[in-house]
C-alpha cells in the first residue's frame, strides 16, 4: 500500500518555528561574476579601471571615468552541467538559461571650465542601472547504488523522546502539524511508518523500521530557480583626471526556490520519497563607496567598500512524503494549512582592492582582490532581535568562512575598433568544512535535510569587442566551475555515517552587450 502525506509550513510570527539555517544565509551572501560582456571577458577585474557599466557595481568611482553618456544592455545564455559522484556512482544533469542580465544608463556631465583648466571637479556623472548579481538556476541529480546509512535513522534520532501521541493525527481532535513543539519531519516519518516507537519506563525513543544490516539505494534530485538582482543610482566625480570618487545607493531583490526530492529504495523491499520545496523572497538595500587614483598615465589604483545589505525576507516551505512500507505496516495521514515566515538578514561588509597597468594605447592588465566578511552576517526576527537566531548566528561564525576572490584580466587592442580580452578568477571556500554541518532546529517545519559544503569556485573567461564612435558591441565566454560536497542529512550522531558525494557544477555562459554613446 502506498501513502502520500502533504505538509505546508505554518510559521507565521512564531520565533519557535523559525527554520532558517546558516546554509540558507550563505546562498544570499556571495554574489557572482555577472555583467556586461567586457566585464565578464576580463573576469570582472575592473575595480581600478571603470568606464564600464558593470564595473560600477564593484567600485562606484569607475563611473567618473566616463567622458560621454551611454546606454547599454546585456543578454546572457547559460549552459549548466552538473556532474556528481556518490559512492562510485556517477550522475549528470543539465539546464539551459537565458537572461537579460544588465541595463544601464550613464549620464556624463562635464562641469563648465575654461579650455585649459583641468583642475578641480571636471565632471559629475550619474548612473541608473540594473544588474543580475546572481542566478540560482541549477538542476542536480545524485545517485548511489548502496548505503548502510538511511535517512530513516536520522528521522528516528531527530524525533528523540517525543511520544507517539504527539505525532499521530486524531480526527476532529488533534493535528500534529499544529503542535509548535514537534518537528514536521518526525510527523511525516511517524505517519509514514518509517520509524518505530520504543517505550521504556514511560519514556519514548525511536528507531528506523529497517533491519540492522539492511542497505538502501538513495537518489537525490534538486531544481533551483531564482535570482539576486540589484537596482542602483550612482554618482561619481572626476577631480583633475587624477582622483575619482563615487557612491551608489542600491536596492537588491531576491527570489529563490529550491525543489528537492530525496528517495530511498529499501533492500528488503519498499521505499520512500521525501519532497521539500522552499521559496525565499524579499528586498534589501546597501550603500557602496569607492575611489580610484591615477598617479601616472600608466597606473590605476582602486578601493571600494560595500556596506552590509539589510534584507527583509519571507520564506514559504512545503513538504510531502510518498512511501511504500506495506510489508511492515502503515498509518493514515492528514493534510495541514499553508503559512509563511518573515525575518531579516544582514549581509556582511565587503572590501575591494584593485590595480591596473595601462600599456599605451594598445592594452592593459588589471587585478582585483575582494574580501567578503561572511562570518559577520546575521539573522534577525521581524522586530530586529538577533536572540531569536542565536544558534544560527553562532553557526554562521563557526561554519562559514570569509571568502576571498582574486580576479585577473587583460585587454589587447588589435586595431582602433577591435579588442580581445581574457581573464581568470578564483573564490575560496565559503564553508568551514571541518565544522559545517546542517543543524536543524528541534521544532522546525522544514524537511530539507540536505546541504552542500562549498569548496571553491573558479572562472576562466575570454571575449572580444567592436567599437565605433557612437556604438559598440561586445561578446564574452565564461567557464565557471563550482566545487561542492553534498550530504543528504547530518549523520554525525548516527551509528553509521552517510557517505558524502562530490558535485561539480559547470556553467558555460555566452554574453552579448550592445551599447550606444551620445
Amino acid at each position: 500500500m502506498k501513502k502520500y502525506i502533504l505538509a505546508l509550513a505554518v510559521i507565521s510570527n512564531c520565533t519557535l518555528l523559525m527554520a532558517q539555517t546558516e546554509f540558507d544565509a550563505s546562498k544570499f551572501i556571495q554574489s557572482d561574476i555577472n555583467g556586461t560582456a567586457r566585464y565578464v571577458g576580463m573576469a570582472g577585474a575592473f575595480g581600478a579601471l571603470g568606464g564600464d557599466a558593470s564595473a560600477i557595481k564593484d567600485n562606484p568611482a569607475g563611473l567618473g571615468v566616463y567622458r560621454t553618456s551611454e546606454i547599454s544592455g546585456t543578454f546572457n545564455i547559460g549552459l549548466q552541467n552538473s556532474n556528481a559522484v556518490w559512492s562510485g556512482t556517477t550522475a549528470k544533469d543539465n539546464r539551459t538559461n537565458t537572461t537579460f542580465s544588465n541595463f544601464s544608463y550613464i549620464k556624463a556631465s562635464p562641469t563648465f571650465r575654461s579650455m585649459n583648466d583641468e583642475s578641480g571637479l571636471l565632471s559629475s556623472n550619474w548612473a541608473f542601472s540594473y544588474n543580475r548579481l546572481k542566478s540560482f538556476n541549477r538542476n542536480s541529480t545524485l545517485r548511489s547504488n548502496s548505503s548502510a546509512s538511511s535517512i530513516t535513522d536520522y528521522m528516528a534520532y531527530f524525533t528523540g523522546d517525543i511520544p507517539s501521541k504527539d505525532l499521530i493525527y486524531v480526527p476532529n481532535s488533534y493535528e500534529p502539524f499544529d503542535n509548535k513543539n514537534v518537528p514536521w519531519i518526525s510527523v511525516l516519518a511517524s505517519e509514514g511508518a518509517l520509524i518505530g516507537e520504543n517505550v521504556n519506563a514511560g519514556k519514548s525513543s525511536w528507531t528506523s523500521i529497517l533491519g540492522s544490516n539492511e542497505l538502501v539505494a538513495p537518489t537525490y534530485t534538486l531544481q533551483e530557480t531564482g535570482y539576486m538582482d540589484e537596482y542602483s543610482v550612482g554618482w561619481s566625480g572626476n577631480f583633475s583626471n587624477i582622483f575619482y570618487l563615487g557612491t551608489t545607493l542600491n536596492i537588491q531583490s531576491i527570489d529563490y526556490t529550491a525543489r528537492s526530492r530525496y528517495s530511498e529504495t529499501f533492500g528488503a523491499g519498499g521505499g520512500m520519497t521525501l519532497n521539500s520545496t522552499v521559496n525565499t523572497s524579499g528586498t534589501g538595500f546597501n550603500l557602496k563607496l569607492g575611489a580610484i587614483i591615477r598617479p601616472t598615465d600608466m597606473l590605476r589604483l582602486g578601493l571600494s567598500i560595500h556596506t552590509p545589505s539589510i534584507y527583509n525576507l519571507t520564506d514559504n516551505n512545503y513538504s510531502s512524503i510518498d512511501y511504500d512500507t506495506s510489508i511492515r505496516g502503515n498509518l493514515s495521514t492528514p493534510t495541514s494549512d499553508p503559512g509563511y515566515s518573515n525575518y531579516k538578514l544582514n549581509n556582511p561588509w565587503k572590501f575591494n582592492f584593485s590595480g591596473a597597468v595601462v600599456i599605451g594605447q594598445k592594452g592593459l592588465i588589471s587585478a582585483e582582490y575582494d574580501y567578503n566578511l561572511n562570518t559577520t552576517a546575521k539573522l534577525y526576527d521581524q522586530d530586529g532581535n538577533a536572540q531569536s537566531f542565536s544558534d544560527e548566528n553562532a553557526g554562521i561564525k563557526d561554519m562559514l568562512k570569509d571568502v576571498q576572490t582574486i580576479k585577473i584580466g587583460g585587454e589587447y587592442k588589435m586595431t582602433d575598433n577591435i579588442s580581445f580580452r581574457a581573464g581568470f578568477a578564483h573564490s575560496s571556500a565559503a564553508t568551514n568544512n571541518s565544522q559545517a554541518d546542517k543543524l536543524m532546529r528541534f521544532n522546525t517545519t522544514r524537511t530539507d535535510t540536505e546541504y552542500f559544503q562549498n569548496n571553491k569556485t573558479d572562472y576562466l573567461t575570454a571575449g572580444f569587442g567592436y567599437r565605433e564612435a557612437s556604438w559598440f558591441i561586445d561578446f564574452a565566454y565564461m567557464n565557471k566551475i563550482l566545487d561542492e560536497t553534498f550530504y543528504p542529512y547530518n549523520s554525525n550522531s548516527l551509528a553509521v555515517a552517510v557517505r558524502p558525494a562530490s558535485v561539480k557544477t559547470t556553467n558555460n555562459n555566452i554574453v552579448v552587450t550592445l551599447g550606444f554613446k551620445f
Side-chain angles (χ1 to χ4, degrees), residues 284-510:
F285 66 92
N286 75 352
L287 187 69
K288 301 176 184 179
L289 304 169
I292 295 175
I293 187 170
R294 191 176 72 167
T296 69
D297 289 341
M298 184 178 182
L299 181 64
R300 314 279 200 277
L301 299 173
L303 168 67
S304 67
I305 300 172
H306 302 185
T307 69
S309 300
I310 304 172
Y311 286 103
N312 287 290
L313 299 175
T314 297
D315 277 6
N316 292 275
N317 58 285
Y318 165 85
S319 306
S320 67
I321 193 165
D322 185 13
Y323 62 94
D324 182 357
T325 55
S326 55
I327 63 172
R328 314 174 205 251
N330 44 63
L331 301 169
S332 61
T333 59
T335 301
S336 68
D337 298 323
Y340 61 91
S341 167
N342 290 330
Y343 61 102
K344 298 177 185 293
L345 169 65
N346 274 24
N347 267 6
W349 288 89
K350 179 179 178 179
F351 299 91
N352 177 296
F353 307 91
S354 53
V357 175
V358 178
I359 307 169
Q361 300 296 317
K362 280 295 185 180
L364 58 89
I365 298 174
S366 181
E368 188 171 318
Y369 173 75
D370 293 339
Y371 193 85
N372 277 36
L373 293 170
N374 290 0
T375 54
T376 64
K378 189 167 287 189
L379 292 162
Y380 299 86
D381 64 19
Q382 297 177 71
D383 298 323
N385 183 6
Q387 188 60 35
S388 301
F389 291 95
S390 57
D391 292 339
E392 289 82 356
N393 289 329
I396 287 174
K397 290 183 178 180
D398 293 338
M399 298 186 193
L400 300 189
K401 274 186 170 184
D402 295 340
V403 171
Q404 303 174 66
T405 300
I406 298 173
K407 307 174 185 177
I408 300 173
E411 181 178 69
Y412 176 71
K413 199 171 184 180
M414 178 170 285
T415 69
D416 289 342
N417 304 102
I418 300 174
S419 299
F420 290 90
R421 306 167 188 119
F424 171 79
H426 169 81
S427 291
S428 62
T431 53
N432 184 357
N433 292 349
S434 63
Q435 301 183 53
D437 303 304
K438 190 169 187 177
L439 303 177
M440 299 181 70
R441 287 199 176 198
F442 174 72
N443 55 354
T444 181
T445 62
R446 293 272 288 270
T447 60
D448 51 324
T449 61
E450 72 278 1
Y451 58 99
F452 290 82
Q453 294 179 344
N454 179 290
N455 300 320
K456 64 175 181 176
T457 309
D458 289 321
Y459 305 82
L460 188 63
T461 69
F464 66 94
Y466 180 86
R467 293 181 177 256
E468 291 284 357
S470 60
W471 67 277
F472 62 89
I473 187 168
D474 293 311
F475 300 87
Y477 164 78
M478 179 173 70
N479 174 262
K480 170 191 170 185
I481 300 177
L482 172 62
D483 186 345
E484 296 175 296
T485 302
F486 167 82
Y487 290 84
Y489 47 87
N490 185 349
S491 63
N492 287 343
S493 300
L494 304 182
V496 180
V498 67
R499 290 184 179 180
S502 173
V503 183
K504 282 187 171 58
T505 303
T506 301
N507 287 280
N508 295 290
N509 291 339
I510 300 171

Side-chain angles (χ1 to χ4, degrees), residues 40-357:
V40 171
M42 289 178 56
F46 256 93
L49 292 169
D52 180 89
S54 290
I56 299 169
K57 69 182 175 66
D58 291 342
N59 186 349
L63 173 60
V65 175
Y66 277 89
R67 301 296 178 90
T68 60
S69 298
E70 175 184 300
I71 187 169
S72 64
T74 300
F75 185 73
N76 184 91
I77 301 174
L79 308 174
Q80 172 257 312
N81 298 284
S82 176
N83 187 78
V85 180
W86 196 1
S87 298
T89 301
T90 300
K92 298 182 179 182
D93 213 327
N94 58 77
R95 184 187 182 102
T96 302
N97 306 293
T98 57
T99 304
F100 189 72
S101 56
N102 166 265
F103 178 82
S104 296
Y105 169 70
I106 311 296
K107 176 61 177 176
S109 302
T111 58
F112 179 78
R113 315 187 70 79
S114 62
M115 184 176 298
N116 297 320
D117 186 0
E118 292 191 355
S119 62
L121 181 62
L122 301 182
S123 64
S124 185
N125 297 344
W126 292 87
F128 305 89
S129 62
Y130 155 78
N131 280 287
R132 175 141 294 180
L133 299 181
K134 189 173 187 176
S135 174
F136 296 109
N137 295 339
R138 175 171 71 160
N139 289 349
S140 296
T141 298
L142 299 92
R143 188 176 295 108
S144 175
N145 291 329
S146 179
S147 174
S149 180
S150 168
I151 196 172
T152 59
D153 297 315
Y154 175 80
M155 291 171 168
Y157 165 79
F158 198 72
T159 303
D161 59 0
I162 299 175
S164 59
K165 65 181 181 63
D166 289 344
L167 301 175
I168 303 301
Y169 170 69
V170 179
N172 303 317
S173 176
Y174 176 68
E175 171 57 79
F177 291 116
D178 290 338
N179 188 336
K180 296 175 182 179
N181 296 312
V182 173
W184 282 19
I185 195 169
S186 297
V187 178
L188 296 176
S190 173
E191 297 282 14
L194 298 174
I195 57 177
E197 183 184 25
N198 303 307
V199 180
N200 186 12
K203 188 174 183 179
S204 296
S205 63
W206 295 85
T207 57
S208 167
I209 61 166
L210 303 185
S212 58
N213 296 316
E214 187 174 350
L215 302 178
V216 300
T219 299
Y220 174 81
T221 60
L222 173 66
Q223 182 186 58
E224 293 178 288
T225 58
Y227 56 82
M228 184 189 302
D229 287 347
E230 182 177 77
Y231 303 85
S232 303
V233 56
W235 170 89
S236 181
N238 173 359
F239 298 86
S240 306
N241 289 324
I242 295 174
F243 181 69
Y244 305 85
L245 182 68
T247 184
T248 58
L249 177 63
N250 313 284
I251 297 175
Q252 297 178 346
S253 174
I254 289 175
D255 193 341
Y256 170 77
T257 300
R259 298 177 178 88
S260 62
R261 182 181 178 91
Y262 178 80
S263 302
E264 287 184 357
T265 301
F266 302 148
M272 54 77 62
T273 298
L274 177 64
N275 303 287
S276 301
T277 298
V278 179
N279 171 261
T280 301
S281 60
T283 58
F285 66 92
N286 75 352
L287 187 69
K288 301 176 184 179
L289 304 169
I292 295 175
I293 187 170
R294 191 176 72 167
T296 69
D297 289 341
M298 184 178 182
L299 181 64
R300 314 279 200 277
L301 299 173
L303 168 67
S304 67
I305 300 172
H306 302 185
T307 69
S309 300
I310 304 172
Y311 286 103
N312 287 290
L313 299 175
T314 297
D315 277 6
N316 292 275
N317 58 285
Y318 165 85
S319 306
S320 67
I321 193 165
D322 185 13
Y323 62 94
D324 182 357
T325 55
S326 55
I327 63 172
R328 314 174 205 251
N330 44 63
L331 301 169
S332 61
T333 59
T335 301
S336 68
D337 298 323
Y340 61 91
S341 167
N342 290 330
Y343 61 102
K344 298 177 185 293
L345 169 65
N346 274 24
N347 267 6
W349 288 89
K350 179 179 178 179
F351 299 91
N352 177 296
F353 307 91
S354 53
V357 175

